[in-house]
Amino acid sequence: VLAADGALRDEMEAALRGLRQSPPAYFASDLREALQAAASRDPQWIVLELGTDVRLLRTAAQELALAAPSASLVAAWNDEPLASDVASSAPLIEAVRCGVRDFLRRPISSTELDDLLQRLDRAGPRTAVPPGTARGGLYAFISNKGGVGKSTLAVNAACALARRHPQRVLLVDASLQLGVCAAMLDLQPRTTLADAAAERDRLDTTLLRQLASAHRCGLDLLAAPPDAVAAARIDDELLARVLTLARRCYDYVVVDTFPVLDRLVTTLLDAVDRAYVVMDNLVPTLLGAARLLTLLAELGLSPQRIRLVLNRYRRGAGRLSRIDAANYLQRPIDLLVPSSERLVQSVNTGQPYALSAGRWRALGRALQRLADDLEQAASAGASPGS
Ligand SMILES: Nc1ncnc2c1ncn2[C@@H]1O[C@H](COP(=O)(O)OP(=O)(O)OP(=O)(O)O)[C@@H](O)[C@H]1O
Ligand SMILES: [Mg+2]
């Protein structure tokens, strides 16, 4: 929302709060800030104010359309000043000429906003997606407990996918404090996310591809920064930009995360097609996972965008069965990955199991099913907010 006027921001925030499920929204107070946010966040809709000066609107509309080519423009208008104008409909007509797709009458009400979002959803993207702006699928492996197997599964799922789609899969190691993906792949990256932060002003799809390290299986890795000092330079705005660019040049973007729900992870969750919640079948982990699911619902992530993965699955005293776990979380477990020493060995030797396993082994089959699920999410075209 480009709102130079504080009143528009307040109205919009109140209207968003009144929605049953409000989409994530970002506010900018001038065009420069809006262009930056549009380029990083790749929004679906951009709301701007419609004043009487049509030239200002034209400039804003043109530049925003370049920064976020798949966004639909919506103009918020106040009919009072327009009505006093002789040709009151002129600015509206001109706005349509500038590419504005729909209008919101101020003061904005939740009902009107809800109607608008439904109209825009039904109408679909602005145009056939312009060349170079197609969106690859975005997948995150998350948990609120450490050591449950996020990195192991993210690396293996990404490798299995890359084997099917060489050079079309990017793994982003956003586990900033302690990135392990490079080690799991036996790669020594020369550049990392820290370089993306250092070059943030000239970051584009070409540079992003150059910053990634290629693995022999066809996977590209954007590695975590080498140390905590470099990690501190990576903020949510940069991650949003990296992910937006990554989706323009890869079909699949898989993200490994650190087990905290900070701004970085919430930025990621705003945009994901699917979040894989990883857990093991121990009571304390499931207790935590139940809490995480509540939080995800509060963040507006619909159940269709969540997959529950029971990893390191083992039977034994104090361990719950798949059914017990499902009852505990009040939804079925989508994927089950057995506990296996082979997986631990493969992690330690930097040879991902998914690349060596035959489909006949239970572990190999489980990892391929995980890759199938990512592939299926991409072909279903699950989009954020759906
Ligand atoms: N299915 C499995 N069977 C056996 N061991 C596993 C399995 N999955 C993961 N592990 C082991 O569990 C340990 C933790 O895995 P991993 O580092 O992937 O967890 P994580 O959730 O990424 O941890 P962190 O929260 O610290 O990032 C590793 O030693 C890994 O080899
Ligand atoms: Mg990890």
Side-chain angles (χ1 to χ4, degrees), residues 178-192:
L178 192 69
V180 294
C181 294
M184 285 185 175
L185 290 161
D186 194 21
L187 285 174
Q188 283 86 36
R190 278 182 298 125
T191 49
T192 70

Side-chain angles (χ1 to χ4, degrees), residues 141 143 146-152 154 173 175 178-181 184 256-259:
F141 285 79
S143 74
V148 288
K150 293 177 295 302
S151 305
T152 307
D173 192 345
S175 183
L178 192 69
V180 294
C181 294
M184 285 185 175
D256 183 24
T257 67
F258 199 64

Side-chain angles (χ1 to χ4, degrees), residues 145-152 175 184 256-257 259 311-312 337-340 343-344 347:
K145 183 175 184 302
V148 288
K150 293 177 295 302
S151 305
T152 307
S175 183
M184 285 185 175
D256 183 24
T257 67
N311 183 36
R312 249 176 3 204
V337 181
S339 179
S340 163
L343 202 51
V344 181
V347 162

Side-chain angles (χ1 to χ4, degrees), residues 59-273:
T59 312
Q62 280 168 351
E63 293 193 25
L64 286 166
L66 283 176
S70 50
S72 299
L73 292 179
V74 173
W77 66 292
N78 207 335
D79 52 0
E80 303 268 320
L82 296 181
S84 62
D85 196 302
V86 192
S88 64
S89 55
L92 297 182
I93 294 168
E94 195 49 39
V96 172
R97 282 208 188 104
C98 295
V100 167
R101 236 176 112 176
D102 214 320
F103 295 90
L104 263 177
R105 192 190 296 264
R106 295 185 62 187
I108 300 163
S109 70
S110 295
T111 321
E112 195 162 340
L113 183 59
D114 196 30
D115 287 347
L116 169 83
L117 296 182
Q118 288 188 24
R119 272 200 308 278
L120 291 175
D121 251 352
R122 274 196 302 274
R126 192 170 66 99
T127 52
V129 182
T133 60
R135 278 195 204 192
L138 180 63
Y139 314 92
F141 285 79
I142 59 169
S143 74
N144 53 352
K145 183 175 184 302
V148 288
K150 293 177 295 302
S151 305
T152 307
L153 296 184
V155 165
N156 277 283
C159 283
L161 264 183
R163 212 181 212 183
R164 302 177 193 180
H165 309 276
Q167 279 77 50
R168 304 304 312 155
V169 185
L170 178 72
L171 174 62
V172 179
D173 192 345
S175 183
L176 301 183
Q177 300 297 325
L178 192 69
V180 294
C181 294
M184 285 185 175
L185 290 161
D186 194 21
L187 285 174
Q188 283 86 36
R190 278 182 298 125
T191 49
T192 70
L193 265 169
D195 299 283
E199 300 288 340
R200 67 168 77 207
D201 292 337
R202 59 179 207 98
L203 195 60
D204 58 11
T205 49
T206 311
L207 182 57
L208 186 80
R209 271 194 173 271
Q210 285 166 356
L211 294 179
S213 316
H215 186 264
R216 61 184 159 77
C217 73
L219 173 70
D220 280 357
L221 167 74
L222 188 54
D227 55 58
V229 178
R233 281 191 224 116
I234 294 156
D235 53 22
D236 52 329
E237 198 64 41
L238 178 82
L239 182 68
R241 176 131 186 81
V242 164
L243 298 177
T244 296
L245 291 171
R247 299 179 82 175
R248 293 204 182 134
C249 53
Y250 292 91
D251 296 336
Y252 302 90
V253 181
V254 180
V255 188
D256 183 24
T257 67
F258 199 64
V260 281
L261 206 62
D262 56 8
R263 280 182 65 147
L264 238 67
V265 175
T266 49
T267 292
L268 169 66
L269 292 176
D270 281 347
V272 283
D273 291 304

Side-chain angles (χ1 to χ4, degrees), residues 288-311:
R291 248 179 269 139
L292 180 60
L293 290 181
T294 310
L295 260 168
L296 295 181
E298 283 167 13
L299 285 174
L301 211 72
S302 63
Q304 299 89 298
R305 287 164 67 204
I306 299 173
R307 284 286 186 270
L308 300 186
V309 187
L310 203 49
N311 183 36

Side-chain angles (χ1 to χ4, degrees), residues 7-21:
L8 174 60
R9 180 178 180 141
D10 295 345
E11 271 170 40
M12 196 68 188
E13 280 179 333
L16 282 164
R17 274 197 301 275
L19 297 181
R20 252 177 306 117
Q21 212 182 27

